[in-house]
Amino acid sequence: AILRQDHPRVRAVRLTPEDWQEVEMETEHADWSLEGSRVGPTGMVPLPQDEEVYISQLQRRAALLNDEFQMCVQRAVERRFGDRVEFHSAPVKTKGRMREKLQGYAAPSQTSSNSSKQDDKAEDADEQASQLPLAANILDPIRTTLVCGGAAEMLEVVEWLVAEGAVEGLAVVRVKNKFAAKDASEYDGYRDLMVSVMYTGSHNLNIIGEIQIHDFRLHALKLQMHKLYKVKRATRATLI
């Protein structure tokens, strides 16, 4: 699956052999908590110095491709759905917000040899997310929102993207269905569909971006919830 920005077919984040040698040295000297997560004296995960390089790579690629990505999605949606589906563009994710997101990626936890297949699958996902560079896990440096008239229309949009997105230059690599969450409090109770796509832009440059698909009623609610969401996700007061 193409679920990292450093995937050979994406390369929005790039490492040379020398980078890998430095990463290995940084990993050897990292401090680990008893729970298996890297922690610093402030209680936050210390980012390797080179993560700033990879954040810059990703943010630069996002800035270069964002305008044409937005235009590509908008035109494709208008051709297929007319004015039935609302299109809303979004700005490129800032370096500051990228740094915040990196705090959520920790080392894979240690599990017993008799763990279930579900536990093994979760462990594999954790291990992939903890691989350096952490910035390669950020799959929404560019993103856009589509607002639909209801559940049936949301499914129609997703099915269209899966079936025909690649033809539009928007190859689907993952669909995240928040409606399938088992815990009612997960995602703060909010529900939508998040489609990760590999966009191929000018000069054959690639990047993974995100298309969020919302029900119009829930989208209106999300706009009201956003300030509370910013407070919840902030790791310190200055980030609010």
Side-chain angles (χ1 to χ4, degrees):
I2 304 175
L3 293 176
R4 288 177 59 90
Q5 300 284 8
D6 59 353
H7 189 280
R9 291 181 57 188
V10 182
R11 292 183 55 79
V13 170
R14 302 164 299 285
L15 286 83
T16 66
E18 290 80 9
D19 289 326
W20 275 117
Q21 291 174 4
E22 292 176 358
V23 164
E24 289 177 359
M25 291 184 64
E26 287 173 336
T27 303
E28 290 172 0
H29 293 88
D31 294 325
W32 300 87
S33 71
L34 294 177
E35 292 78 17
S37 299
R38 285 168 293 176
V39 295
T42 63
M44 297 182 64
V45 180
L47 303 180
Q49 183 176 359
D50 279 352
E51 284 292 343
E52 290 296 330
V53 174
Y54 307 129
I55 288 174
S56 295
Q57 286 181 350
L58 183 57
Q59 221 262 351
R60 182 185 186 190
R61 178 70 60 89
L64 288 170
L65 296 182
N66 184 59
D67 287 348
E68 56 185 83
F69 169 76
Q70 302 291 341
M71 188 176 298
C72 176
V73 176
Q74 184 176 16
R75 288 178 175 175
V77 170
E78 288 178 349
R79 281 196 301 269
R80 178 64 178 80
F81 299 99
D83 60 0
R84 285 197 295 136
V85 174
E86 293 181 14
F87 167 86
H88 299 271
S89 63
V92 172
K93 190 174 291 294
T94 66
K95 289 184 179 179
R97 178 64 185 126
M98 288 184 183
R99 294 187 193 101
E100 287 181 54
K101 293 198 72 169
L102 297 198
Q103 301 295 330
Y105 303 122
S109 58
Q110 300 297 320
T111 58
S112 63
S113 59
N114 62 348
S115 59
S116 66
K117 289 184 179 180
Q118 184 174 358
D119 290 339
D120 289 341
K121 186 175 180 180
E123 182 180 357
D124 290 343
D126 287 344
E127 184 174 359
Q128 176 171 305
S130 69
Q131 292 175 2
L132 299 176
L134 300 179
N137 292 289
I138 299 174
L139 302 184
D140 61 345
I142 56 177
R143 66 256 195 232
T144 190
T145 295
L146 304 179
V147 181
C148 302
E153 197 167 78
M154 293 174 69
L155 288 174
E156 184 181 355
V157 172
V158 172
E159 291 171 354
W160 164 71
L161 279 170
V162 171
E164 303 181 30
V167 177
E168 302 286 354
L170 302 164
V172 173
V173 298
R174 182 181 70 176
V175 177
K176 188 173 184 179
N177 181 6
K178 291 185 179 179
F179 290 95
K182 296 180 180 179
D183 186 346
S185 64
E186 194 172 358
Y187 309 118
D188 298 319
Y190 187 77
R191 299 293 181 262
D192 63 5
L193 300 173
M194 302 172 71
V195 182
S196 298
V197 298
M198 185 177 74
Y199 172 68
T200 300
S202 299
H203 303 282
N204 288 319
L205 293 176
N206 298 318
I207 193 169
I208 299 175
E210 183 178 88
I211 300 175
Q212 300 179 4
I213 304 173
H214 302 266
D215 173 87
F216 75 99
R217 301 175 189 84
L218 292 176
H219 182 253
L221 178 62
K222 181 181 182 179
L223 297 179
Q224 298 177 36
M225 294 169 58
H226 188 67
K227 288 185 178 180
L228 291 175
Y229 171 67
K230 287 184 65 175
V231 172
K232 180 179 180 180
R233 79 184 185 193
T235 54
R236 57 183 185 274
T238 55
L239 297 177
I240 299 176

